[in-house]
Amino acid sequence: MEVFLASCVVAGVPLLFATVGELITQKAGNTNLGVEGMMLMGAVMAYVASVGTMNPYLTVLSAALAGAAGALIYGVLTISLRANQIVTGLTLTIFGTGFAKFVGQPYLGKAVPAEVTQFFVKRPLPLLSEIPFVGPIFFRQDIFVYLSYILCILAAIYMYKTRIGVNLKAVGENTAAADASGINVTLYKYVHVLLGGAFSGLGGAYLSIVRIPLWQEDVVNGRGWIAVALVIFVAWNPIKAFFGAILFGGLSIMGMRLQVMGVGISQYLFDMIPYLATIIIVVFSTHKKRKESQPPADLSNNYFREER
């Protein structure tokens, strides 16, 4: 059981990075459905950087910058030019998919250099890793997993305990009122859209550098769409996102686990489960009545100051 739960944590890491990124983006009032594309951009650029530099720090930085670059395209079109957010996000996914295939074509099937993979080996944390049951699951992981823990905690503190986080909520709930109160809504939107893209890029990097340390097309395999649904599932709460990501990570590896145990059920049937759960979440999200479970009031609405 401990081994399976530890694997769920690992499988949930790319989802967690992408979910927190999209959560922050939506808190600023923007729906970016290009998460899949940004994850692919981060994945391919992390791989290229790992081969070109053999430096794990530059590898991670390249992934974040690639995801942020994709988010910048989205930001310019939706924030400055006020293009439709849904259509722009879908277009970004198509762009990111094509970008990853084009850039990654020469590297198809080639492994990540050992100098990079060795940096991301599992490193048990002193004392914490010795805690019965909890230690082997959460604290005998690689550095990327530990970063995901820190990300959730910092995101929660930022959103709920800082003045900037309160301003961010105001921008998402009522952009015109936030602007009238002196908040630079354009700056807030750009910063958080770019942060969301950077986190999505890091989620993609985990897949291509740590989880599957060789380049293959479609390495993200729909996780970006699951992350978008997870934002709704966790009610825009970064702490809940941690547990939601582990849950969906577990669903994604359940088929493989049962096959190892000798259960004669098709792998493809279990591969459907995370996506089926995603559809169910989206359907039932329309029936949530509690205020804390509702999306930001100005979500997906483009803001034009002269229309106040």
Side-chain angles (χ1 to χ4, degrees):
M1 178 59 73
E2 288 181 358
V3 174
F4 174 67
L5 292 176
S7 299
C8 291
V9 172
V10 171
V13 167
L15 288 174
L16 183 56
F17 274 100
T19 300
V20 173
E22 177 64 11
L23 188 155
I24 290 173
T25 299
Q26 291 195 16
K27 277 292 186 178
N30 284 68
T31 300
N32 187 352
L33 297 184
V35 177
E36 181 88 359
M38 294 185 294
M39 290 182 74
L40 280 165
M41 293 174 70
V44 71
M45 291 311 298
Y47 181 86
V48 171
S50 73
V51 173
T53 68
M54 298 186 183
N55 185 310
Y57 300 103
L58 292 178
T59 296
V60 172
L61 179 62
S62 297
L65 291 177
L72 180 61
I73 297 172
Y74 167 88
V76 170
L77 290 173
T78 60
I79 300 171
S80 297
L81 302 180
R82 298 187 296 282
N84 183 283
Q85 294 183 19
I86 306 301
V87 174
T88 304
L90 294 173
T91 304
L92 178 57
T93 288
I94 298 171
F95 171 79
T97 302
F99 177 86
K101 289 183 177 181
F102 175 75
V103 174
Q105 186 63 38
Y107 304 96
L108 201 58
K110 296 181 181 179
V112 175
E115 291 84 351
V116 176
T117 56
Q118 288 174 0
F119 183 80
F120 296 109
V121 297
K122 292 184 178 181
R123 303 174 189 272
L125 294 181
L127 300 179
L128 292 176
S129 62
E130 302 303 322
I131 299 174
F133 189 71
V134 174
I137 296 172
F138 295 105
F139 303 115
R140 296 181 187 175
Q141 302 286 3
D142 60 77
I143 190 171
F144 242 115
V145 178
Y146 302 142
L147 284 175
S148 72
Y149 302 163
I150 296 171
L151 173 63
C152 285
I153 295 170
L154 291 181
I157 294 172
Y158 175 75
M159 289 172 54
Y160 302 126
K161 300 297 182 181
T162 68
R163 183 177 181 83
I164 298 176
V166 173
N167 289 345
L168 172 64
K169 182 178 180 180
V171 171
E173 291 293 338
N174 192 325
T175 312
D179 189 16
S181 67
I183 298 173
N184 188 335
V185 297
T186 300
L187 178 62
Y188 268 78
K189 284 179 175 290
Y190 264 110
V191 167
H192 292 91
V193 164
L194 292 177
L195 277 176
F199 293 149
S200 295
L202 291 175
Y206 188 76
L207 290 167
S208 64
I209 300 301
V210 183
R211 187 86 190 278
I212 309 170
L214 58 82
W215 178 248
Q216 61 183 44
E217 290 184 351
D218 299 324
V219 65
V220 176
N221 195 28
R223 289 177 177 85
W225 300 111
I226 294 176
V228 174
L230 263 176
V231 173
I232 302 171
F233 179 66
V234 303
W236 293 266
N237 186 310
I239 299 300
K240 291 181 180 179
F242 174 76
F243 298 102
I246 293 176
L247 171 62
F248 273 75
L251 291 175
S252 68
I253 64 172
M254 185 181 296
M256 186 183 303
R257 177 71 174 180
L258 290 176
Q259 281 191 338
V260 171
M261 296 170 60
V263 178
I265 301 177
S266 172
Q267 169 71 31
Y268 300 109
L269 179 62
F270 282 98
D271 287 344
M272 291 169 50
I273 293 177
Y275 306 101
L276 180 62
T278 300
I279 295 172
I280 293 172
I281 287 171
V282 173
V283 170
F284 281 94
S285 66
T286 58
H287 300 288
K288 290 182 177 180
K289 301 299 182 183
R290 292 181 302 172
K291 184 177 180 181
E292 64 270 18
S293 299
Q294 297 300 312
D298 264 355
L299 184 63
S300 303
N301 296 329
N302 290 332
Y303 176 65
F304 185 45
R305 191 172 196 182
E306 279 68 25
E307 292 178 350
R308 286 194 315 193

